[in-house]
Amino acid sequence: MMELVALRTFQAVVEEGGILAASRKLNTVQSNVTSRIRRLEEELGTELFFRKGRGIELAPSGRVLLEYARRMLLLERQTTAAMRQVGESAGELRIGTMETFAALHLPAGLKAVRAAHPGLELRVQADTSAALTEKVLDHKLDCAFVAGPVKHPDLQFDELVVEELVQVCADGAGPQALPLIIFREGCAYRARALAWQRASGQACADVMEFGTLEGILGCVSVGLGWTLMPRRVVERSPLAAELVIEPLPTDVGRVPTGMVRRRDAPPQVVLTTLAAALAGGAP
């Protein structure tokens, strides 16, 4: 009888294009992947792949199995999600967020969820918009709050607020030839900052990466560099008096921000509660 782990392995080999890449994605050794595929072929009595030198190609039987494997694995994920949300008052909700969204908005949403669903365990992790989106796609998060717009056939993006990005530097300093101080690769603000740097004719100096808002604004405040940050984050910072804010053109400065989740996920009342609290409570 086919095991789900075998189907996940088979799907990974197909999607990653080979045994080695699949083993890396699944965080296992190549021999485990190979043995699972062989057992699956023995159980089904057919070849799933054609071996061509060091490469492999999906056989006709493999193409048929792939469709059914995707359906069964989707059903498994939906079942797991449903069990986590039993009665919307037990289980857990896995939430991803950008640092800036966590600082400005998320507490109000979490407070509303706590009141409406007191038995639900909330797990929150911060990361870049790109990393969070991938984690939602991989079913590692139930939802995430990211900078948009997000356009993907498997994802739904619900805009909640529009942040105003501003250019920030120390009093008496300017961004010319200073390093950009920003979050690591995958941050939506980083991409906009680099684009703004090019568009405004500034010299492309080094980029300094930090993992926290405090670290970024602290270094900017002493003149080590400049950054792009939501206006409200800067205005609420203890360092606000030492920082100079410059507005940006609308196409750079206005950033739609909202909740991203999988389209095929089962409906969850708790996500409606969370989104409504955040949209209604946005300052």
Side-chain angles (χ1 to χ4, degrees):
M1 186 173 180
M2 287 182 290
E3 297 180 349
L4 290 175
V5 67
L7 293 179
R8 277 194 290 270
T9 302
F10 168 70
Q11 184 179 30
V13 172
V14 175
E15 294 179 348
E16 298 301 313
I19 301 292
L20 177 59
S23 67
R24 289 171 178 165
K25 180 177 181 180
L26 297 170
N27 195 30
T28 188
V29 295
Q30 286 181 257
S31 58
N32 283 345
V33 175
T34 301
S35 62
R36 288 171 189 168
I37 295 299
R38 285 176 179 167
R39 283 199 303 270
L40 193 56
E41 289 178 324
E42 290 172 2
E43 289 173 6
L44 296 173
T46 184
E47 243 184 353
L48 300 174
F49 296 98
F50 295 132
R51 277 71 175 177
K52 293 188 174 182
R54 293 186 177 181
I56 56 174
E57 180 181 324
L58 199 60
S61 296
R63 288 195 290 271
V64 173
L65 177 62
L66 181 61
E67 176 63 26
Y68 284 99
R70 284 173 171 163
R71 292 182 194 175
M72 286 187 279
L73 292 173
L74 173 59
L75 182 59
E76 180 223 6
R77 292 191 295 268
Q78 290 176 334
T79 302
T80 301
M83 292 302 98
R84 283 203 311 270
Q85 301 298 329
V86 174
E88 296 291 343
S89 60
E92 67 177 17
L93 181 69
R94 302 164 301 170
I95 303 168
T97 180
M98 300 183 296
E99 286 273 351
T100 51
F101 194 89
L104 290 172
H105 307 291
L106 193 57
L110 297 181
K111 183 178 180 181
V113 170
R114 281 286 190 212
H117 311 277
L120 195 63
E121 183 177 354
L122 302 178
R123 297 186 180 273
V124 182
Q125 59 177 276
D127 213 323
T128 64
S129 288
L132 293 170
T133 301
E134 283 301 315
K135 288 177 182 178
V136 173
L137 278 169
D138 291 342
H139 303 274
K140 295 177 180 178
L141 292 172
D142 297 302
C143 69
F145 298 98
V146 301
V150 176
K151 297 181 180 179
H152 191 285
D154 296 331
L155 297 176
Q156 177 179 331
F157 176 74
D158 300 313
E159 182 179 313
L160 299 174
V161 298
V162 177
E163 298 290 3
E164 181 195 359
L165 284 188
V166 293
Q167 181 178 284
V168 188
C169 58
D171 190 11
Q176 294 79 10
L178 287 177
L180 167 64
I181 304 178
I182 199 70
F183 293 111
R184 61 188 177 275
E185 191 72 38
C187 170
Y189 300 161
R190 176 189 179 123
R192 287 179 180 247
L194 291 172
W196 170 241
Q197 188 178 50
R198 291 189 295 269
S200 60
Q202 299 174 21
C204 292
D206 293 335
V207 174
M208 297 172 62
E209 298 181 350
F210 282 80
T212 65
L213 293 172
E214 294 81 2
I216 292 173
L217 293 180
C219 288
V220 170
S221 71
V222 297
L224 293 183
W226 66 283
T227 192
L228 254 59
M229 200 65 65
R231 177 185 289 274
R232 284 172 286 186
V233 167
V234 183
E235 291 176 342
R236 296 180 184 185
S237 169
L239 300 169
E242 303 171 45
L243 300 169
V244 175
I245 291 174
E246 293 290 341
L248 297 169
T250 301
D251 61 328
V252 179
R254 289 179 61 82
V255 185
T257 306
M259 176 191 288
V260 65
R261 49 184 162 169
R262 287 194 61 98
R263 293 186 185 277
D264 58 16
Q268 299 178 23
V269 174
V270 64
L271 293 186
T272 303
T273 302
L274 182 56
L278 291 168

